[in-house]
């Protein structure tokens, strides 16, 4: 029976590419391991898999009785629902430390860098295993996605160096151009139902006992969302009620203007206004410089909920 | 203002030596960091510090407003009481993943090996920093202590290799002999009050909401404890009441016979009997092969509490 590697619910490119990269590494180290996923893939992730010739990882929601590695999260609400009945062999992540616990010792590689794949590259180097060309390409794309082409405040020197090393292994000359192609795919929102867009990159957080859902849509020009905003905002309300959430926030991020508009529905909008020191107008506000949910949205919200 | 490194309450040699070793590494990397401790040192740890010329780390119980690295634990009950008001920069540990969480990304090196110092050696190698002779000696002793001279089932190939490499750096020819000298110091219990012996290596665990304290006394011959057992057992009862604990267990470990006698006080001894598939007689039982609290005592207890 193989081990699994799985990322968070509503998988993004980092969750999928790190599952592929880590399962190859572990298998090479003599521990048969396969990548899995907890949900459907975004157009961005499909672009990466197609470009480097990978199949979609197995859709697998239940892990009772299995052994697995967790990548790109350490929060219970983001992982498999039956994780208590599984054995967690390790966690590779670049977020705050969440509330997953284990009853046996494990392997954790958690670093304050821009992308899980940057850490997995360190693991390959540590173990002295060569990264295959196609895997290097997928890892590189995940880092470009997570760091928004190095523009995100989460981006570190380690991420940049890692992209350069991976680009060389993958034989890619202009990684910025390929990254921009990826963000164009990501920006193609026309004709997509509001719910699909909201859930494309959506994570729940437990903030002092309150469930807070935060989605993010990154586009190369916010103007392309103008006609969809009302529909998106209405859908947040439904999502809040369906999940008994305290708040749902959608970040509409303009990666060229380097800022985000927040669409908010909340039982108490003052908690959100306090977190960012802003005043919402019709439950919306543009904030310059906000590109990172992890570094610029979750920590102030968490403090505000205290 | 420097950063701190601190191990768990009732510090053992691994907590102290890893605080010393990690603070040197971080300082060398340009991040001024000092070692600290949450309590008094055992004769074993004093033996190590004297042998390699170290002062006791600063006794520091409060970390509000400070930034710190946590070593040798990730359970809230084992760390500083005001950890919620501190910034956790990282966790280096070799136990199960506990319930400490953070609101910002951090650096975690957690591995299923026998000792935190084995992981810190990996960190030195990863960063390319040379380990000073005296620090190598202290790290080596901590590994010999935690792995019970390699006899513990927690001991891995990585721990053994690490001791050999550290012994060479420290210029120690017979590390087994030095390790045995350390265990002789550890075994010197005569004239020590029962409470001091019980607390010498004592950890609290949160098991499904119940507080369970588990102490361990390692000696080279269990017979030397014969006349003290009743006094020790009586003290466990007091300790249970003082801390509102569900259970207190003391492991009397004979490192030569390679097994442990469990002294138990509990609101429900059947949970403990079930965990180890044994029958207590006068709330005591000898179990062959039990040397490791972490690997052989905590996991079955945790399962039994589920």
């Amino acid at each position: 029976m193989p081990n699994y590697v799985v990322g968070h619910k509503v998988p993004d490119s980092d969750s999928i590419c790190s599952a592929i990269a880590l399962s190859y590494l572990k298998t090479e180290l003599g521990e048969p391991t396969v990548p899995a996923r907890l949900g459907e893939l975004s157009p961005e992730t499909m672009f990466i898999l197609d470009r480097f010739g990978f199949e979609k990882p197995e859709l697998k929601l239940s892990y009772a009785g299995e052994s697995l590695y967790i990548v790109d999260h350490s929060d219970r609400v983001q992982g498999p629902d039956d994780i208590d009945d599984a054995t967690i062999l390790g966690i590779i992540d670049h977020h705050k430390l969440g509330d997953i616990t284990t009853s046996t010792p494990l392997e954790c590689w958690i670093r304050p860098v821009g992308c899980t794949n940057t850490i997995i590259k360190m693991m390959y180097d540590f173990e002295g295993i060569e990264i295959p060309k196609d895997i290097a390409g997928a890892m590189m794309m995940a880092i470009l996605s997570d760091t928004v082409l190095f523009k995100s405040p989460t981006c570190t020197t380690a991420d940049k160096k890692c992209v350069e090393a991976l680009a060389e292994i993958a034989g890619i000359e202009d990684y910025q151009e390929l990254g921009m192609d990826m963000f164009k795919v990501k920006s193609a929102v026309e004709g997509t139902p509001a719910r699909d867009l909201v859930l494309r990159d959506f994570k729940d957080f437990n903030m002092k006992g309150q469930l807070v859902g935060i989605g993010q849509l990154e586009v190369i020009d916010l103007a392309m969302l103008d006609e969809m905003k009302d529909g998106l905002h209405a859908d947040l309300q439904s999502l809040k009620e369906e999940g008994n959430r305290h708040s749902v926030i959608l970040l509409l991020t303009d990666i060229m203007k380097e800022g985000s508009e927040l669409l908010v529905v909340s039982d108490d909008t003052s908690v959100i206004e306090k977190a960012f020191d802003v005043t919402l107008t019709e439950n919306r506000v543009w904030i310059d410089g906000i590109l990172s949910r992890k570094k610029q949205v979750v920590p102030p919200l968490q403090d505000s909920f205290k």
Side-chain angles (χ1 to χ4, degrees), chain A:
Chain A
M1 206 168 67
N3 298 325
Y4 288 91
V5 187
V6 75
H8 52 74
K9 287 172 182 158
V10 192
D12 61 359
S13 297
D14 190 23
S15 271
I16 297 300
C17 296
S18 61
I20 290 171
L22 183 63
S23 59
Y24 178 86
L25 173 62
K26 287 294 174 185
T27 303
E28 282 294 294
L29 291 169
E31 197 185 305
T33 304
V34 298
R37 62 188 164 96
L38 291 181
E40 291 313 312
L41 300 187
S42 72
E44 181 201 78
T45 305
M46 286 308 300
F47 172 82
I48 299 173
L49 297 188
D50 287 347
R51 174 69 175 74
F52 293 99
F54 290 103
E55 298 293 316
K56 288 196 251 185
E58 179 187 341
L59 178 67
K60 182 174 166 64
L61 304 183
S62 168
Y63 294 84
E66 312 267 16
S67 295
L68 79 166
Y69 293 89
I70 294 288
V71 288
D72 202 29
H73 71 288
S74 62
D75 277 296
R76 294 174 64 87
V77 286
Q78 292 171 20
D81 291 330
D82 59 358
I83 200 157
D84 281 341
D85 304 317
T87 301
I88 300 176
L89 299 169
I91 301 176
I92 326 297
D93 190 24
H94 66 122
H95 299 87
K96 70 189 182 62
L97 187 60
D99 54 2
I100 287 179
T101 60
T102 67
S103 54
T104 48
L106 76 170
E107 174 182 10
C108 292
W109 294 69
I110 303 176
R111 298 289 181 282
V113 294
C115 181
T116 305
N117 278 281
T118 301
I119 306 167
I120 293 181
K121 169 72 161 58
M122 293 177 196
M123 296 175 73
Y124 271 91
D125 292 348
F126 184 87
E127 303 286 4
I129 301 288
E130 217 172 293
I131 308 178
K133 217 170 151 172
D134 52 352
I135 291 183
M139 291 170 74
M140 182 198 79
M141 295 302 273
I143 301 172
L144 289 171
S145 168
D146 261 20
T147 63
V148 193
L149 308 175
F150 301 160
K151 289 179 186 183
S152 169
T154 60
C155 186
T156 66
T157 312
D159 298 300
K160 290 179 193 169
K161 280 192 184 160
C162 188
V163 162
E164 272 155 30
L166 292 169
E168 195 166 317
I169 296 169
I172 288 162
E173 280 180 26
D174 191 342
Y175 60 77
Q176 284 283 356
E177 189 189 357
L178 189 56
M180 200 61 197
D181 287 347
M182 173 175 69
F183 273 96
K184 278 179 199 154
V185 170
K186 192 172 202 165
S187 300
V189 292
E190 230 174 320
T192 312
R195 175 59 57 96
D196 290 7
L197 291 178
V198 170
L199 289 188
R200 193 174 272 177
D201 177 10
F202 187 87
K203 286 182 185 172
D204 276 315
F205 297 87
N206 181 338
M207 300 206 176
K208 288 283 153 183
Q210 307 285 359
L211 193 61
V212 177
I214 310 177
Q216 184 170 25
L217 259 185
E218 291 166 329
V219 294
I220 49 177
D221 180 5
L222 205 56
M224 55 205 298
L225 293 173
D226 278 350
E227 309 211 332
M228 314 179 67
K229 270 187 211 167
D230 290 344
L232 289 168
H233 211 151
D235 191 64
L236 301 186
Q237 186 64 46
S238 320
L239 204 61
K240 177 180 176 302
E241 282 155 22
E242 289 161 27
N244 285 317
R245 294 176 176 90
H246 175 281
S247 303
V248 177
I249 302 171
L250 181 64
L251 310 173
L252 303 177
T253 300
D254 189 317
I255 71 166
M256 304 313 284
K257 293 203 186 72
E258 303 192 13
S260 297
E261 184 172 1
L262 277 61
L263 309 189
V264 175
V265 295
S266 176
D267 288 341
D268 180 6
T269 51
S270 74
V271 183
I272 285 109
E273 292 186 322
K274 194 177 98 193
F276 303 103
D277 194 16
V278 295
T279 307
L280 294 169
T281 308
E282 293 180 357
N283 285 323
R284 297 179 192 181
V285 64
W286 166 267
I287 310 180
D288 261 336
I290 288 213
L291 288 168
S292 165
R293 170 173 51 198
K294 181 180 82 163
K295 196 154 185 167
Q296 299 171 297
V297 177
V298 173
L301 267 177
Q302 213 141 19
D303 288 343
S304 190
F305 267 88
K306 261 183 193 167

mmCIF file of all heavy atoms in Angstrom, chain A residues 37 40 46 66 68 72 83 100-101 179 181 198 209 211 217-218 255 260 270-272 276 294 298-299:
data_model
loop_
_atom_site.group_PDB
_atom_site.id
_atom_site.type_symbol
_atom_site.label_atom_id
_atom_site.label_comp_id
_atom_site.label_asym_id
_atom_site.label_seq_id
_atom_site.Cartn_x
_atom_site.Cartn_y
_atom_site.Cartn_z
ATOM 1 N N ARG A 37 -5.273 14.571 -4.555
ATOM 2 C CA ARG A 37 -5.843 15.918 -4.449
ATOM 3 C C ARG A 37 -7.200 15.841 -3.776
ATOM 4 O O ARG A 37 -7.882 14.817 -3.843
ATOM 5 C CB ARG A 37 -5.950 16.579 -5.824
ATOM 6 C CG ARG A 37 -6.869 15.845 -6.783
ATOM 7 C CD ARG A 37 -6.795 16.422 -8.204
ATOM 8 N NE ARG A 37 -7.382 15.492 -9.151
ATOM 9 C CZ ARG A 37 -8.643 15.532 -9.597
ATOM 10 N NH1 ARG A 37 -9.459 16.487 -9.184
ATOM 11 N NH2 ARG A 37 -9.096 14.634 -10.452
ATOM 12 N N GLU A 40 -11.244 19.722 -7.328
ATOM 13 C CA GLU A 40 -11.042 19.994 -8.756
ATOM 14 C C GLU A 40 -9.890 20.970 -8.968
ATOM 15 O O GLU A 40 -9.551 21.753 -8.095
ATOM 16 C CB GLU A 40 -12.336 20.542 -9.367
ATOM 17 C CG GLU A 40 -13.432 19.490 -9.438
ATOM 18 C CD GLU A 40 -12.934 18.162 -10.014
ATOM 19 O OE1 GLU A 40 -12.264 18.177 -11.064
ATOM 20 O OE2 GLU A 40 -13.196 17.109 -9.396
ATOM 21 N N MET A 46 -4.224 23.330 -14.480
ATOM 22 C CA MET A 46 -4.315 22.510 -15.692
ATOM 23 C C MET A 46 -3.297 22.973 -16.734
ATOM 24 O O MET A 46 -2.697 22.160 -17.438
ATOM 25 C CB MET A 46 -5.738 22.570 -16.268
ATOM 26 C CG MET A 46 -6.778 21.768 -15.487
ATOM 27 S SD MET A 46 -6.294 20.045 -15.179
ATOM 28 C CE MET A 46 -6.093 19.433 -16.860
ATOM 29 N N GLU A 66 -4.804 5.149 6.178
ATOM 30 C CA GLU A 66 -3.679 5.362 5.271
ATOM 31 C C GLU A 66 -2.581 6.181 5.951
ATOM 32 O O GLU A 66 -2.803 6.798 6.993
ATOM 33 C CB GLU A 66 -4.135 6.152 4.026
ATOM 34 C CG GLU A 66 -5.397 5.648 3.371
ATOM 35 C CD GLU A 66 -5.132 4.657 2.255
ATOM 36 O OE1 GLU A 66 -4.007 4.128 2.193
ATOM 37 O OE2 GLU A 66 -6.051 4.429 1.452
ATOM 38 N N LEU A 68 0.091 9.358 5.167
ATOM 39 C CA LEU A 68 0.204 10.428 4.178
ATOM 40 C C LEU A 68 1.099 11.573 4.631
ATOM 41 O O LEU A 68 1.321 11.772 5.825
ATOM 42 C CB LEU A 68 -1.183 10.967 3.805
ATOM 43 C CG LEU A 68 -1.866 11.952 4.752
ATOM 44 C CD1 LEU A 68 -3.037 12.601 4.040
ATOM 45 C CD2 LEU A 68 -2.347 11.252 5.997
ATOM 46 N N ASP A 72 1.477 22.083 1.978
ATOM 47 C CA ASP A 72 0.898 23.416 1.754
ATOM 48 C C ASP A 72 -0.213 23.800 2.735
ATOM 49 O O ASP A 72 -0.975 24.719 2.455
ATOM 50 C CB ASP A 72 0.397 23.529 0.301
ATOM 51 C CG ASP A 72 0.299 24.974 -0.161
ATOM 52 O OD1 ASP A 72 1.076 25.810 0.333
ATOM 53 O OD2 ASP A 72 -0.572 25.284 -0.999
ATOM 54 N N ILE A 83 -8.765 13.010 8.787
ATOM 55 C CA ILE A 83 -7.316 12.956 9.041
ATOM 56 C C ILE A 83 -6.998 12.330 10.393
ATOM 57 O O ILE A 83 -5.920 11.755 10.591
ATOM 58 C CB ILE A 83 -6.701 14.368 8.897
ATOM 59 C CG1 ILE A 83 -5.197 14.256 8.679
ATOM 60 C CG2 ILE A 83 -7.014 15.245 10.102
ATOM 61 C CD1 ILE A 83 -4.598 15.442 8.016
ATOM 62 N N ILE A 100 -3.232 21.115 13.234
ATOM 63 C CA ILE A 100 -3.081 19.669 13.067
ATOM 64 C C ILE A 100 -2.105 19.164 14.131
ATOM 65 O O ILE A 100 -1.068 19.776 14.365
ATOM 66 C CB ILE A 100 -2.570 19.330 11.647
ATOM 67 C CG1 ILE A 100 -3.688 19.542 10.621
ATOM 68 C CG2 ILE A 100 -2.034 17.906 11.575
ATOM 69 C CD1 ILE A 100 -3.287 19.267 9.183
ATOM 70 N N THR A 101 -2.466 18.076 14.810
ATOM 71 C CA THR A 101 -1.545 17.442 15.754
ATOM 72 C C THR A 101 -1.407 15.972 15.376
ATOM 73 O O THR A 101 -2.186 15.471 14.566
ATOM 74 C CB THR A 101 -2.065 17.535 17.207
ATOM 75 O OG1 THR A 101 -3.328 16.862 17.282
ATOM 76 C CG2 THR A 101 -2.255 18.983 17.647
ATOM 77 N N GLY A 179 5.572 32.567 -17.002
ATOM 78 C CA GLY A 179 4.772 32.931 -15.839
ATOM 79 C C GLY A 179 3.632 33.865 -16.213
ATOM 80 O O GLY A 179 2.500 33.715 -15.741
ATOM 81 N N ASP A 181 2.205 34.055 -19.129
ATOM 82 C CA ASP A 181 1.217 33.234 -19.848
ATOM 83 C C ASP A 181 0.286 32.539 -18.858
ATOM 84 O O ASP A 181 -0.928 32.453 -19.068
ATOM 85 C CB ASP A 181 1.921 32.164 -20.691
ATOM 86 C CG ASP A 181 2.593 32.768 -21.924
ATOM 87 O OD1 ASP A 181 2.297 33.946 -22.238
ATOM 88 O OD2 ASP A 181 3.424 32.081 -22.536
ATOM 89 N N VAL A 198 -15.215 32.138 -7.019
ATOM 90 C CA VAL A 198 -15.002 32.345 -5.580
ATOM 91 C C VAL A 198 -14.210 31.181 -4.983
ATOM 92 O O VAL A 198 -13.318 31.364 -4.160
ATOM 93 C CB VAL A 198 -16.358 32.508 -4.851
ATOM 94 C CG1 VAL A 198 -16.161 32.486 -3.345
ATOM 95 C CG2 VAL A 198 -17.041 33.799 -5.285
ATOM 96 N N GLY A 209 -12.282 30.264 17.185
ATOM 97 C CA GLY A 209 -13.544 29.538 17.195
ATOM 98 C C GLY A 209 -14.535 29.953 16.122
ATOM 99 O O GLY A 209 -15.586 29.343 15.984
ATOM 100 N N LEU A 211 -15.443 30.514 12.080
ATOM 101 C CA LEU A 211 -15.014 30.075 10.757
ATOM 102 C C LEU A 211 -14.990 31.271 9.801
ATOM 103 O O LEU A 211 -15.995 31.958 9.627
ATOM 104 C CB LEU A 211 -15.966 28.988 10.245
ATOM 105 C CG LEU A 211 -15.499 28.193 9.026
ATOM 106 C CD1 LEU A 211 -14.213 27.433 9.314
ATOM 107 C CD2 LEU A 211 -16.585 27.210 8.577
ATOM 108 N N LEU A 217 -8.859 36.001 -6.013
ATOM 109 C CA LEU A 217 -8.829 35.932 -7.476
ATOM 110 C C LEU A 217 -7.741 36.868 -7.949
ATOM 111 O O LEU A 217 -7.813 38.080 -7.704
ATOM 112 C CB LEU A 217 -10.165 36.414 -8.040
ATOM 113 C CG LEU A 217 -11.185 35.391 -8.497
ATOM 114 C CD1 LEU A 217 -12.382 36.108 -9.130
ATOM 115 C CD2 LEU A 217 -10.587 34.386 -9.477
ATOM 116 N N GLU A 218 -6.743 36.347 -8.594
ATOM 117 C CA GLU A 218 -5.655 37.189 -9.086
ATOM 118 C C GLU A 218 -5.825 37.393 -10.586
ATOM 119 O O GLU A 218 -5.907 36.421 -11.337
ATOM 120 C CB GLU A 218 -4.305 36.527 -8.813
ATOM 121 C CG GLU A 218 -3.957 36.488 -7.332
ATOM 122 C CD GLU A 218 -2.796 35.550 -7.025
ATOM 123 O OE1 GLU A 218 -2.637 34.548 -7.745
ATOM 124 O OE2 GLU A 218 -2.060 35.826 -6.072
ATOM 125 N N ILE A 255 -2.617 42.092 -10.124
ATOM 126 C CA ILE A 255 -1.185 41.810 -9.943
ATOM 127 C C ILE A 255 -0.306 42.858 -10.626
ATOM 128 O O ILE A 255 0.863 42.974 -10.288
ATOM 129 C CB ILE A 255 -0.800 40.381 -10.410
ATOM 130 C CG1 ILE A 255 -0.851 40.262 -11.933
ATOM 131 C CG2 ILE A 255 -1.665 39.327 -9.750
ATOM 132 C CD1 ILE A 255 -0.161 39.013 -12.444
ATOM 133 N N SER A 260 -5.323 44.979 -3.817
ATOM 134 C CA SER A 260 -6.512 44.126 -3.850
ATOM 135 C C SER A 260 -7.748 44.887 -3.413
ATOM 136 O O SER A 260 -7.703 45.722 -2.502
ATOM 137 C CB SER A 260 -6.337 42.923 -2.902
ATOM 138 O OG SER A 260 -5.286 42.100 -3.309
ATOM 139 N N SER A 270 -16.976 45.206 11.608
ATOM 140 C CA SER A 270 -16.012 46.037 12.329
ATOM 141 C C SER A 270 -14.710 45.272 12.607
ATOM 142 O O SER A 270 -13.637 45.855 12.679
ATOM 143 C CB SER A 270 -16.615 46.555 13.644
ATOM 144 O OG SER A 270 -16.687 45.513 14.587
ATOM 145 N N VAL A 271 -14.812 43.935 12.761
ATOM 146 C CA VAL A 271 -13.597 43.132 12.970
ATOM 147 C C VAL A 271 -12.678 43.240 11.751
ATOM 148 O O VAL A 271 -11.456 43.310 11.864
ATOM 149 C CB VAL A 271 -13.947 41.638 13.216
ATOM 150 C CG1 VAL A 271 -12.694 40.829 13.509
ATOM 151 C CG2 VAL A 271 -14.944 41.502 14.344
ATOM 152 N N ILE A 272 -13.307 43.263 10.573
ATOM 153 C CA ILE A 272 -12.514 43.346 9.344
ATOM 154 C C ILE A 272 -11.973 44.765 9.156
ATOM 155 O O ILE A 272 -10.813 44.957 8.775
ATOM 156 C CB ILE A 272 -13.363 42.890 8.124
ATOM 157 C CG1 ILE A 272 -13.483 41.357 8.163
ATOM 158 C CG2 ILE A 272 -12.717 43.270 6.807
ATOM 159 C CD1 ILE A 272 -14.820 40.827 8.507
ATOM 160 N N PHE A 276 -7.687 45.930 9.093
ATOM 161 C CA PHE A 276 -6.933 46.597 8.031
ATOM 162 C C PHE A 276 -6.935 48.116 8.172
ATOM 163 O O PHE A 276 -6.413 48.821 7.316
ATOM 164 C CB PHE A 276 -7.495 46.185 6.660
ATOM 165 C CG PHE A 276 -7.481 44.707 6.459
ATOM 166 C CD1 PHE A 276 -8.630 43.951 6.577
ATOM 167 C CD2 PHE A 276 -6.283 44.062 6.188
ATOM 168 C CE1 PHE A 276 -8.605 42.570 6.416
ATOM 169 C CE2 PHE A 276 -6.239 42.685 6.025
ATOM 170 C CZ PHE A 276 -7.408 41.935 6.138
ATOM 171 N N LYS A 294 -1.809 35.139 2.858
ATOM 172 C CA LYS A 294 -1.086 34.534 3.969
ATOM 173 C C LYS A 294 -0.385 35.567 4.844
ATOM 174 O O LYS A 294 -0.443 35.509 6.069
ATOM 175 C CB LYS A 294 -0.047 33.569 3.394
ATOM 176 C CG LYS A 294 0.766 32.854 4.422
ATOM 177 C CD LYS A 294 1.769 31.921 3.757
ATOM 178 C CE LYS A 294 3.009 32.676 3.324
ATOM 179 N NZ LYS A 294 4.141 31.768 3.057
ATOM 180 N N VAL A 298 -4.357 37.193 6.554
ATOM 181 C CA VAL A 298 -4.652 36.289 7.673
ATOM 182 C C VAL A 298 -4.099 36.807 9.014
ATOM 183 O O VAL A 298 -4.850 36.864 9.992
ATOM 184 C CB VAL A 298 -4.154 34.848 7.370
ATOM 185 C CG1 VAL A 298 -4.297 33.955 8.594
ATOM 186 C CG2 VAL A 298 -4.935 34.269 6.189
ATOM 187 N N PRO A 299 -2.821 37.234 9.091
ATOM 188 C CA PRO A 299 -2.325 37.669 10.415
ATOM 189 C C PRO A 299 -3.090 38.845 11.028
ATOM 190 O O PRO A 299 -3.511 38.758 12.186
ATOM 191 C CB PRO A 299 -0.853 38.001 10.157
ATOM 192 C CG PRO A 299 -0.480 37.199 8.952
ATOM 193 C CD PRO A 299 -1.722 37.189 8.101
#
